[in-house]
Amino acid sequence: MNFNAKLTCTAFNKTQLPDVKYTEVAFVGRSNVGKSTLINVLLGRRLAKVSSQPGKTRSINFYEVEADNLTFNLVDLPGYGFASRGHSERKEWQKLIDSYFTSIRPISFVVQLIDFRHGMLENDYLMCKYLKSIDVPSLVVFTKADKIAKTKRKANYDKLASECLFSIVPPIITSGDQTLNIDELRSTLLQVIKRLKCI
């Protein structure tokens, strides 16, 4: 299954958020979790900027995606938890995130990316708590599974999945570098969108 995608908007503040047109699925995760790499593999094109420097994404990027007779927006939110950012920059990040989630938008659900090597860390729990407080469902996707030996992945998954019972479907293990389970992720996204479709 392929996704036909294009970048339609880059927003640095609330006034630049695009008009509502399609159901939206937002991607969130810690800085350096591999979000841009995964999004590029998922969309089948190098649309998201990938950098070895954590926290590269500073804007909200909207990608219009067509697949299986369905059109939706994949929304790439800036990474959270980059410790070396200054207080004022973290404050601006929070304002940008709040401006998105508190706007009247057809957000179907949020894909929360978790590093498969480390599991849920403090900032991940804070994001989870925030999403619950605004009543937005989330789906957990583990990234960087290629960094864990294949023989250890099941045990690691069982351990980490028990921390992610809030996920609306069982967490999916992925690796952007090895395209692990990318088709499964595409299929799951479409299934959940159809189930929770907002518009």
Side-chain angles (χ1 to χ4, degrees):
M1 177 186 300
N2 294 321
F3 279 6
N4 182 20
K6 62 183 177 180
L7 175 66
T8 57
C9 179
T10 295
F12 290 90
N13 56 57
K14 184 176 182 177
T15 63
Q16 296 175 337
L17 292 175
D19 293 336
V20 170
K21 193 173 182 181
Y22 301 112
T23 291
E24 296 180 353
V25 177
F27 276 57
V28 301
R30 293 197 307 272
S31 294
N32 209 32
V33 77
K35 181 159 54 65
S36 295
T37 297
L38 182 64
I39 287 174
N40 283 334
V41 173
L42 185 68
L43 299 182
R45 297 178 61 190
R46 289 183 59 86
L47 294 174
K49 292 182 179 179
V50 178
S51 172
S52 58
Q53 177 186 356
K56 186 68 175 177
T57 303
R58 305 293 178 89
S59 58
I60 298 178
N61 299 311
F62 291 77
Y63 302 96
E64 185 179 306
V65 183
E66 295 180 354
D68 194 27
N69 298 315
L70 181 69
T71 303
F72 68 96
N73 279 334
L74 188 157
V75 184
D76 180 12
L77 300 177
Y80 54 81
F82 186 33
S84 66
R85 286 183 178 174
H87 176 72
S88 61
E89 190 174 354
R90 290 197 298 271
K91 202 170 182 180
E92 286 302 311
W93 176 90
Q94 188 62 54
K95 281 174 58 179
L96 184 59
I97 297 300
D98 284 340
S99 69
Y100 172 72
F101 282 115
T102 57
S103 300
I104 301 176
R105 307 196 67 83
I107 304 171
S108 179
F109 61 100
V110 168
V111 175
Q112 185 173 8
L113 304 183
I114 305 295
D115 192 316
F116 194 51
R117 300 168 298 178
H118 310 305
M120 296 277 289
L121 298 182
E122 181 181 1
N123 286 310
D124 297 313
Y125 283 112
L126 290 174
M127 176 55 75
C128 178
K129 184 177 180 180
Y130 174 74
L131 294 174
K132 285 183 177 180
S133 73
I134 58 175
D135 198 27
V136 174
S138 58
L139 182 161
V140 171
V141 172
F142 295 127
T143 62
K144 302 190 177 184
D146 57 296
K147 307 298 183 183
I148 299 288
K150 289 182 179 180
T151 55
K152 297 181 179 179
R153 287 179 191 172
K154 185 181 185 306
N156 201 51
Y157 177 87
D158 291 342
K159 175 187 174 184
L160 299 185
S162 66
E163 301 174 354
C164 303
L165 298 179
F166 56 88
S167 182
I168 51 180
V169 299
I172 299 172
I173 304 174
T174 67
S175 167
D177 290 340
Q178 296 184 358
T179 66
L180 177 67
N181 294 333
I182 296 301
D183 281 339
E184 179 187 349
L185 178 56
R186 290 188 183 118
S187 177
T188 299
L189 292 179
L190 295 177
Q191 289 173 17
V192 178
I193 290 169
K194 289 174 182 177
R195 195 172 84 201
L196 302 177
K197 196 170 182 182
C198 299
I199 57 175

